[in-house]
């Protein structure tokens, strides 16, 4: 999973196998069969069975799709039983509300006892302690990616969730910086409005500008929006190619900077252009 692009990660309740089987249709880079908040306590036993069977089938039928299962948080009474839903073919186990490297170690030990010691962890950072200790969580052995969960974070903080998301800007930025320090990709917060493409696009653009690599999606329609938001546009690719052509020519002549379309370009901006082309 670490080597795969993950612009969109689509969630669905594991209690609904008929929905799980349809998840690849919208073209996400990854899917999450969710055992956590989307599944009421009484439905969790059946949901674990569905996650195991459908998850294994999806992983076998769609080798380019990152298939994951989200378990309940480590301190809950559901966590231990949720491990029965994990199969060797999964790309990762998604663990919510992680707050320390010690908790990550506990998760890895629990996985090892199940014979799944090599299963990677996608770490959820969605509480105040998790944000404060985001770097140690994301740098912990076994963690290959992370996500920022705005809804639970704001609830834990005692704040108020808004469309502008100013209340999450600090935490969102801190998690992105922690991911950069840990050397792992990180996925951006959900947009709970299911049909507002304009709101989603604006939120995703902000996330991309902060350093996020992709977006959590809670409806199939959001997948295409996320994929577009976290992929360079044709205009971006074209500009990057032309910029590098001009810059490389200047370097060959012994110059370290150029003026390109009214902008001063030196090596840092050239590296940005190379990153755009690599992402395309």
């Amino acid at each position: 999973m670490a080597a795969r692009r993950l612009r969109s990660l689509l969630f669905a309740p594991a209690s609904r196998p008929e929905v799980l089987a349809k998840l690849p249709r919208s073209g996400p880079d990854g899917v999450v069969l969710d055992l956590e908040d989307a599944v009421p306590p009484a439905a969790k036993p059946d949901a674990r069975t569905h996650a195991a069977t459908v998850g294994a089938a999806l992983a076998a039928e769609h080798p380019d799709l990152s298939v994951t299962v989200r378990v309940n948080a480590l301190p809950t009474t559901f966590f231990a039983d949720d491990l029965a839903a994990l199969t060797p073919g999964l790309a990762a186990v998604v663990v919510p509300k992680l707050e320390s490297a010690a908790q990550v170690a506990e998760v890895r030990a629990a996985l090892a006892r199940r014979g799944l010691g090599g299963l990677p962890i996608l770490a959820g950072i969605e509480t105040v302690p998790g944000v404060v200790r985001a770097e140690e969580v994301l740098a912990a052995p076994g963690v290959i990616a992370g996500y920022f969960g705005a809804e639970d974070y704001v609830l834990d903080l005692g704040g108020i969730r808004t469309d502008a998301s100013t209340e999450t800007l600090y935490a969102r930025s801190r998690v992105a910086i922690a991911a950069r320090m840990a050397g792992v990709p990180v996925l951006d917060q959900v947009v709970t409005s299911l049909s507002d493409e304009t709101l989603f696009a604006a939120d995703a653009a902000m996330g991309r500008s902060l350093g996020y690599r992709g977006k959590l999606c809670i409806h199939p329609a959001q997948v295409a929006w996320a994929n577009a938001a976290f992929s360079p546009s044709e205009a971006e690719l074209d500009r990057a190619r032309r910029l590098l052509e001009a810059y490389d020519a200047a370097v060959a002549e012994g110059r370290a900077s150029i003026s390109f379309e009214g902008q001063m370009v030196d090596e840092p901006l050239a590296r940005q252009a190379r990153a755009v082309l690599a992402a395309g």
Side-chain angles (χ1 to χ4, degrees):
M1 181 176 176
R4 299 180 186 178
R5 180 163 60 172
L6 207 60
R7 302 162 300 174
S8 52
L9 190 59
L10 179 59
F11 285 69
S15 54
R16 300 188 60 189
E18 76 284 358
V19 173
L20 301 181
K22 299 175 183 177
L23 286 176
R25 293 183 183 179
S26 57
D29 290 335
V31 298
V32 181
L33 285 55
D34 195 5
L35 295 171
E36 200 207 8
D37 293 340
V39 179
K44 289 188 188 293
D46 286 343
R48 293 180 188 114
T49 300
H50 300 322
T53 56
V54 179
L58 288 176
E61 295 166 10
H62 302 274
D64 293 330
L65 180 68
S66 292
V67 180
T68 71
V69 170
R70 180 163 73 170
V71 297
N72 284 269
L74 182 64
T76 68
T77 58
F78 305 114
F79 173 81
D81 289 338
D82 286 349
L83 299 185
L86 306 180
T87 57
L90 294 175
V93 55
V94 182
V95 184
K97 302 179 179 67
L98 284 167
E99 297 181 339
S100 68
Q103 284 192 337
V104 176
E106 285 188 59
V107 171
R108 294 187 74 206
L111 292 172
R113 289 193 292 271
R114 287 271 183 171
L116 297 168
L119 186 62
I121 297 169
L122 197 161
I125 308 295
E126 43 195 331
T127 65
V128 172
V131 168
V132 171
R133 294 191 285 271
E135 188 174 337
E136 74 168 77
V137 171
L138 295 174
V143 174
I144 60 163
Y147 72 85
F148 172 62
E151 311 308 316
D152 283 298
Y153 165 76
V154 172
L155 176 64
D156 189 34
L157 184 66
I160 298 173
R161 194 75 174 91
T162 68
D163 286 347
S165 285
T166 53
E167 70 282 359
T168 67
L169 180 58
Y170 170 76
R172 207 174 172 189
S173 301
R174 182 161 177 162
V175 171
I177 292 169
R180 169 64 183 84
M181 291 297 293
V184 298
V186 67
L187 294 145
D188 194 25
Q189 63 190 20
V190 302
V191 174
T192 57
S193 176
L194 303 181
S195 58
D196 192 334
E197 182 177 358
T198 300
L199 176 62
F200 187 97
D203 196 72
M206 174 61 78
R208 184 181 175 193
S209 74
L210 292 174
Y212 285 85
R213 305 288 185 83
K215 195 83 168 155
L216 306 181
C217 301
I218 54 175
H219 189 277
Q222 295 180 334
V223 169
W225 306 339
N227 288 346
F230 289 92
S231 299
S233 66
E234 286 303 319
E236 288 177 298
L237 291 169
D238 176 66
R239 187 177 189 278
R241 292 188 193 99
R242 291 186 291 104
L243 184 153
L244 285 175
E245 182 178 350
Y247 178 76
D248 290 343
V251 170
E253 295 172 357
R255 289 182 287 147
S257 65
I258 61 170
S259 175
F260 180 79
E261 296 182 351
Q263 181 182 34
M264 191 279 285
V265 173
D266 56 7
E267 182 55 29
L269 289 180
R271 286 200 300 268
Q272 290 180 18
R274 294 185 196 106
V276 168
L277 294 179

